[in-house]
Amino acid sequence: MTPAYAATPGGLLLVLAVMLPAAAALVMLVLGPRHTRLVALIALALGLVVALATGLQLVRSQTALIYVLGNWQPPLGIALRADGLSVMMLAVSAVVMAATGLFARELFGLDLATADGRLATSFWILLMGLWSGLNLVFVSQDLFNLYVALELLTFAAVPLVCLDGRGETMAAALRYLMFALLGSMLYLLGAGLLYGAYGTLDIRLIASASHHGPAMAIALALMIPGLLAKAALFPLHLWLPPAHAGAPAAASAVLSALVIKAPVFLILRLVADIAPPGSAAVAGQVLAVLGAASILFCSVMALRQERLKLMIAYSTVAQIGYLFIVFPLAGVGDGTAPWGTIAWTGGALQLTSHALAKAAMFMAAGIVAEAVGHDRIRDLGGFGRVLPLTATTFGLAGLSLMGIPPSGGFIAKCLLLTAAAVGGHLWLALTILVGGLLAGGYVFRVMDRALATPVEPLLLRKPIPLRLEIIPLVLAVLAVALGFLPLEPFGLLQIGRPDSALAVSP
Amino acid sequence: MGLSDVFTLVCVVAGAILFLAGTLGLLRFPDTLSRLHALSKADNLGLGLIVLGLLPLQASLMGGVKLVCIWLLAQLSAATATQLIAGIAARRKPQA
Amino acid sequence: MSALALTSASLFGLCGAALVGIGLFGIVSHPDLLRRIIGFNILGAGIFLVFGAVARRGAAMGLGGDPVPQAMVITGIVVAFAATALAVALLRRLASLTGSATLDAATPATPPRSDA
Amino acid sequence: MSLLFDIALVAGLIALALHVVVTRDGRGAILAFIAFGLLLGIGWARLASVDVALTEAAIGGGLTGMLLLRAHAHLAREIPPEAMSRAVPRSWLAPAIACGLVTLALGAVVLAFPQPAPSLAHQAVASLETTGLGNPVTAVLLAYRAIDTLLEKIVLILALVGVWSLSRDAAWGGASQLRPAVIPEPLVFLARVLPPFGVLIAVYQVWVGADLPGGTFQAGTILAAMALLVMLAGLRPAPQTQSKALRVMLAGGPALFVLVGFLGVAVAQGFLSYPEAIAKPLIVGIEAALTLSIAGTLALLVAGPPDRAPAP
């Protein structure tokens, strides 16, 4: 019998991507507060190198990277595998993580009394845990191992939400924990049913099974809603706005930009890689309807918020909706290869550009709150005059959210819109257009305040160093720079697809 | 059926009956202290009889020692728990 | 594997299914957060029993069950305990800060307590 | 006969679970849940999973029960009674129907599992030889799926860091207050007599866990229980969470695991693979270190966030 997986050169990079942050967290625990920041920055630098090397290796070999842990072949053991999409996610995570790390270093450095205190030290350890979990979600091939990855995310993300220790953020964190735990439990239950039916939890081995019984349908019906609760898709989004708005700015940036992408990525894998075509098509339709509802409802909610961070958080739920309308647009479940379509590329670009833009936006909001002492949009008149770079960041990131050229969001939404028009999904095309208009509404509302001339000039509570403002600006510029990519399906996303042992090119 | 089997049967059945009686007492007796009394009787004697009955079935000496250890540890924790509960009951009494 | 063991495995599997339903009900129907946390633990127990039934059905090679799902359950129980501990710590802090153990009334409007 | 016993056990479990969910008495619900955990332990023994039975009885019934009881007492102190009774009961019919449907669907799947059941038991036993172990569950946890176990330790540590982060700024790095105001005499007696047995049993569990049911999780839980008992009885204070020795103990197990994992890259067949000749000593060594880490983490998770300022 030939083994299901053959390790490829560079496979060890995937192990490093997962273990490096985990090991860093352990080192931080032992070394204590004074060295935490230094260890974090070293780990972030090394992690960036690993992500870069993974990308280079993928492009050079043009096949997915594979590693078999402990040399135990699935189904008994666990394999790691990174195709084009996974490597893209690894890279985006590394970039956003590194930016967040630099941002947090500057932000916590503003107040030397607390720089090595409870909030900062806990933040660094949890951030490393988060990164390890994220990378594992993107590379693991085993459904139970992915459950452990989801739990890494939960246990790192929930305490991040309530680091400031106020009663409201405790409530937000508890609500988040309840949703996240329910999601993990349902996911785990589905995994148990799949093991009972197939005797393995390896994604490739399950997908290659010839016969699917009722276990598959019920398992998907448990796992997908469970993951939706973690991804905060409408109507399961209630936990997200208070949680993401209440967290410290650096934490909000990673939570909104990266953490909720992990369950989305897993849903994508379940629907595109495991589900039999019939179920996949049905699931895709349902997800698209929920995605469209998310875009419309939460954009309106964002428009109505009075707090800047709450507005950005609602915008996250709306922008996540775009990722779910990809399913019918890319033709998931109709027998064709979805990863070659423009909608698939559009979805991947939306993922990337939203990650960059949203991280930039939350950091900018954090700077505003730090400088002014509050984030009530009404009372922010003229903040663009005192914090011009931050206002620019907000505007550039806003371009990407609205989908105005030139920006990554524009390309993404343009590709999705084209796919909707070509495929005859008029209601989805309409949703994309209305969603863009609503996003324009809430971004302009803030920009209007930024450029307004207030009756009495806005006073800065404390000076903001230039370095702090530059970091989100770089992210926002990157989100805009994605807009210069060509409007066609990416070759990168097709590397390693489809996932089957037989399809390995000679 | 050998003599040892009869011994086992008798001991285990007697132990089980004691547990049943203890449980009834726990449910039916009026106050905390007499309930505790019923419970510790079941624990002490009931478990003791069952362990005693199972001893002849053990193939090795080690197995027997482990069984006796189980009984001793159960005794220890039961005695402590009973004392603790009785202490709380005694402190509450004057106020009631 | 005997028919009896198979029946027993299915019985515990059905018990797991029932516990999942009961746990879910506890989570959605109780406003009291501590009770919801207990509900999560019952839901978890039900899920683990489903794994246990799967393991028992896979008994072979002289083993009482398939060791892979058994090992997963051990991992799962420890994670569930950690989740309970985190939830309880959050809840205790929430109660100390707001004087409430529900999310519905978790607004800082509650008057500060005077007996502290 | 044994089927009758199983039916009674299952009926007991379901009845207790229902009681836990519907009773109005919060403390009663917790007590019933503890009984549920113990009964579930017997259920696991009936499913021929002694490893799980030990874990469930120790963690599900014991530690979780203690955690919940402490939380209940804390809430009763912090929350004014009128706020407790103010909670509005929610509508229950629609959730009950929905949950019933979930149960029915699950039941149908459980009954429709394929026959013969797929199983990895053959492969797990066939590969045992290369690990030098005799207990296949330990082999799954420490060899075949070692990455799960390793990362689950990281999960535990993140949970602990999360719990610690909930302390007041002034108390961060300090110790938890576990010692009650009044310490009953019998508890002190128990705390003096029991721990030596507990440590002995834990060492035994780690040692036999390689070949028989038992292992690092079960041993760690017993040690955690002993540590909690000693701290509750006031014999030793809870440790300062900033203590270097404590932190080395907590991180030591997973750190050793990672190191041995990367050692495998150099001298064996990759990350988390053990050189065949010394596989068993390596695994038992990792288990020993993990046991201490798990014991510390579990005990401190029960103890909760530090609430006394650290001593200089």
Side-chain angles (χ1 to χ4, degrees):
Chain A
M1 197 179 103
T2 52
Y5 289 90
T8 61
L12 194 63
L13 287 169
L14 308 182
V15 174
L16 285 177
V18 176
M19 291 318 300
L20 193 75
L26 291 175
V27 172
M28 289 175 184
L29 185 73
V30 172
L31 288 187
R34 258 170 305 165
H35 305 93
T36 310
R37 200 171 354 153
L38 182 67
V39 176
L41 293 174
I42 294 173
L44 285 167
L46 290 176
L48 258 181
V49 173
V50 168
L52 191 69
T54 314
L56 285 177
Q57 179 65 35
L58 184 89
V59 172
R60 196 176 332 142
S61 68
Q62 288 292 313
T63 57
L65 274 58
I66 292 175
Y67 195 80
V68 183
L69 286 162
N71 208 22
W72 297 107
Q73 277 290 336
L76 194 57
I78 295 170
L80 305 181
R81 179 179 186 277
D83 55 20
L85 185 63
S86 306
V87 171
M88 189 192 86
M89 296 304 297
L90 288 178
V92 173
S93 303
V95 169
V96 174
M97 278 284 167
T100 306
L102 292 175
F103 180 77
R105 173 169 162 260
E106 297 297 331
L107 192 67
F108 296 148
L110 287 184
D111 189 353
L112 287 179
T114 58
D116 290 330
R118 175 190 62 85
L119 197 158
T121 310
S122 306
F123 171 84
W124 289 116
I125 300 181
L126 295 170
L127 188 73
M128 289 296 125
L130 209 58
W131 197 10
S132 178
L134 276 173
N135 286 346
L136 188 61
V137 167
F138 300 141
V139 302
S140 181
Q141 283 285 94
D142 182 279
L143 291 175
F144 186 80
N145 193 238
L146 284 166
Y147 163 76
V148 178
L150 287 174
E151 293 297 36
L152 273 172
L153 286 178
T154 304
F155 283 87
V158 169
L160 278 177
V161 165
C162 58
L163 275 182
D164 73 354
R166 285 178 299 132
E168 302 142 65
T169 57
M170 290 296 152
L174 253 174
R175 185 175 278 130
Y176 179 18
L177 181 62
M178 296 280 162
F179 272 89
L181 280 182
L182 188 60
S184 321
M185 292 270 177
L186 293 178
Y187 174 87
L188 181 63
L189 183 54
L193 297 183
L194 289 180
Y195 188 91
Y198 299 93
T200 177
L201 285 174
D202 184 80
I203 290 180
R204 181 188 278 181
L205 293 178
I206 293 178
S208 65
S210 52
H211 172 75
H212 297 293
M216 173 61 85
I218 301 286
L220 288 176
L222 290 165
M223 293 166 101
I224 293 178
L227 292 168
L228 286 180
K230 285 171 173 285
L233 193 69
F234 177 86
L236 297 169
H237 66 284
L238 285 173
W239 62 266
L240 187 142
H244 285 194
S252 307
V254 276
L255 291 175
S256 241
L258 301 176
V259 174
I260 47 166
K261 305 283 166 43
V264 177
F265 182 86
L266 266 187
I267 292 175
L268 192 74
R269 295 221 60 188
L270 289 180
V271 175
D273 290 350
I274 291 187
S279 315
V282 175
Q285 287 295 337
V286 175
L287 290 172
V289 171
L290 292 177
S294 246
I295 297 174
L296 298 176
F297 180 79
C298 292
S299 295
V300 172
M301 288 301 288
L303 210 47
R304 296 177 44 178
Q305 296 306 309
E306 291 176 3
R307 295 293 185 102
L308 183 58
K309 289 187 82 178
L310 271 175
M311 184 211 93
I312 304 176
Y314 269 105
S315 147
T316 296
V317 187
Q319 295 288 325
I320 285 295
Y322 286 99
L323 300 176
F324 287 94
I325 62 174
V326 169
F327 290 100
L329 295 184
V332 172
D334 66 2
T336 55
W339 39 87
T341 62
I342 52 171
W344 190 267
T345 300
L349 261 178
Q350 165 70 11
L351 233 155
T352 311
S353 64
H354 175 255
L356 297 170
K358 194 47 67 78
M361 215 174 226
F362 260 121
M363 288 180 194
I367 293 175
V368 171
E370 188 71 26
V372 183
H374 69 82
D375 71 338
R376 291 185 301 277
I377 299 174
R378 196 156 40 96
D379 303 331
L380 285 178
F383 83 84
R385 291 169 195 275
V386 283
L387 294 167
L389 281 182
T390 299
T392 311
T393 304
F394 201 92
L396 288 178
L399 283 185
S400 200
L401 293 190
M402 290 184 277
I404 288 181
S407 70
F410 165 69
I411 304 268
K413 278 149 200 161
C414 188
L415 287 173
L416 289 176
L417 194 61
T418 313
V422 171
H425 301 275
L426 280 182
W427 62 284
L428 284 177
L430 205 61
T431 307
I432 297 170
L433 287 174
V434 174
L437 281 178
L438 288 168
Y442 58 71
V443 172
F444 276 128
R445 197 166 141 240
V446 176
M447 290 316 288
D448 173 56
R449 298 313 299 160
L451 303 175
T453 316
V455 185
E456 45 190 291
L458 203 62
L459 284 179
L460 288 194
R461 212 170 49 142
K462 60 173 88 163
I464 297 295
L466 188 64
R467 280 180 302 180
L468 191 61
E469 287 194 279
I470 295 265
I471 296 158
L473 184 62
V474 170
L475 284 179
V477 168
L478 278 178
V480 168
L482 284 177
F484 295 99
L485 288 170
L487 276 167
E488 59 188 40
F490 273 2
L492 178 80
L493 295 174
Q494 297 173 52
I495 298 177
R497 294 252 149 208
D499 173 20
S500 75
L502 302 173
V504 175
S505 52
Chain B
M1 196 154 116
L3 196 62
S4 69
D5 286 346
V6 176
F7 177 75
T8 300
L9 203 63
V10 170
C11 283
V12 170
V13 167
I17 290 173
L18 267 170
F19 265 109
L20 193 67
T23 312
L24 273 178
L26 178 69
L27 294 174
R28 304 289 303 174
F29 279 165
D31 62 292
T32 313
L33 289 179
S34 46
R35 282 180 190 173
L36 279 178
H37 172 77
L39 202 58
S40 44
K41 271 285 174 316
D43 250 12
N44 282 339
L45 262 167
L47 188 63
L49 278 172
I50 290 176
V51 165
L52 193 66
L54 291 179
L55 278 180
L57 293 185
Q58 292 304 310
S60 67
L61 186 67
M62 218 27 220
V65 172
K66 280 183 200 166
L67 269 179
V68 174
C69 278
I70 290 174
W71 183 68
L72 282 175
L73 282 174
Q75 284 305 292
L76 183 66
S77 65
T80 314
T82 312
Q83 286 280 333
L84 288 175
I85 297 172
I88 292 170
R91 257 181 285 139
R92 279 202 187 150
K93 203 91 192 230
Q95 296 155 9
Chain C
M1 142 154 226
S2 71
L4 197 65
L6 198 64
T7 319
S8 161
S10 298
L11 186 66
F12 279 101
L14 291 177
C15 177
L19 292 180
V20 166
I22 295 170
L24 276 177
F25 181 75
I27 295 166
V28 292
S29 70
H30 267 291
D32 179 351
L33 286 169
L34 193 60
R35 301 294 293 277
R36 281 202 210 173
I37 295 172
I38 303 175
F40 270 110
N41 275 286
I42 291 184
L43 170 61
I47 294 172
F48 298 144
L49 270 186
V50 172
F51 272 86
V54 168
R56 183 74 176 124
R57 289 168 48 84
M61 300 287 287
L63 300 180
D66 184 347
V68 174
Q70 290 179 354
M72 289 173 184
V73 170
I74 293 180
T75 305
I77 288 177
V78 179
V79 171
F81 171 77
T84 308
L86 183 61
V88 160
L90 274 166
L91 175 57
R92 289 177 63 155
R93 192 90 175 101
L94 178 75
S96 297
L97 288 167
T98 66
S100 166
T102 61
L103 288 177
D104 314 321
T107 43
T110 326
R113 290 168 354 99
S114 51
D115 58 328
Chain D
M1 185 65 195
S2 64
L3 195 62
L4 268 182
F5 182 78
D6 286 351
I7 290 173
L9 192 59
V10 165
L13 280 171
I14 292 177
L16 270 175
L18 277 174
H19 177 74
V20 168
V21 168
V22 300
T23 180
R24 298 187 134 266
D25 168 21
R27 200 181 156 81
I30 297 174
L31 295 176
F33 176 76
I34 295 174
F36 172 84
L38 295 175
L39 212 55
L40 193 58
I42 302 178
W44 280 106
R46 292 291 307 153
L47 281 169
S49 312
V50 183
D51 291 276
V52 182
L54 291 170
T55 317
E56 172 63 41
I59 295 189
L63 285 187
T64 308
M66 180 174 173
L67 199 63
L68 294 172
L69 281 175
R70 273 168 55 84
H72 186 266
H74 178 90
L75 295 182
R77 278 196 307 275
E78 292 287 336
I79 297 173
E82 66 272 13
M84 284 293 237
S85 55
R86 207 174 44 203
V88 199
R90 306 189 172 187
S91 64
W92 57 272
L93 188 63
I97 293 172
C99 296
L101 286 177
V102 172
T103 293
L104 283 181
L106 273 180
V109 175
V110 167
L111 292 178
F113 274 146
Q115 184 65 286
S119 170
L120 292 177
H122 292 94
Q123 296 192 33
V125 171
S127 304
L128 264 183
E129 213 174 297
T130 45
T131 63
L133 300 171
N135 179 359
V137 176
T138 305
V140 175
L141 285 171
L142 272 300
Y144 313 146
R145 302 183 62 97
I147 186 85
D148 285 347
T149 311
L150 170 53
L151 289 174
E152 180 225 4
K153 293 289 103 46
I154 308 285
V155 167
L156 277 180
I157 287 191
L158 289 178
L160 188 61
V161 170
V163 167
W164 285 350
S165 80
L166 294 172
S167 71
R168 286 173 293 115
D169 273 310
W172 188 73
S176 320
Q177 177 71 293
L178 266 173
R179 192 174 176 275
V182 189
I183 303 172
E185 204 52 44
L187 192 65
V188 181
F189 173 72
L190 190 69
R192 284 188 202 284
V193 176
L194 203 54
F197 287 100
V199 173
L200 187 70
I201 294 172
V203 172
Y204 174 76
Q205 287 258 330
V206 175
W207 185 244
V208 301
D211 298 314
L212 297 169
T216 171
F217 291 96
Q218 296 89 344
T221 316
I222 294 172
L223 282 185
M226 292 305 120
L228 286 168
L229 181 62
V230 168
M231 292 189 281
L232 271 176
L235 294 182
R236 293 289 292 274
Q240 303 260 340
T241 56
Q242 66 179 9
S243 142
K244 198 69 110 192
L246 176 76
R247 288 178 170 224
V248 168
M249 184 180 100
L250 293 179
L256 181 70
F257 210 159
V258 175
L259 285 179
V260 173
F262 280 107
L263 185 76
V265 177
V267 301
Q269 291 165 300
F271 185 68
L272 286 174
S273 99
Y274 308 101
E276 212 172 313
I278 52 165
K280 186 172 174 183
L282 275 180
I283 290 176
V284 174
I286 292 174
E287 281 206 284
L290 278 183
T291 303
L292 284 179
S293 298
I294 293 171
T297 316
L298 293 184
L300 290 165
L301 278 175
V302 174
D307 40 21
R308 272 177 305 167

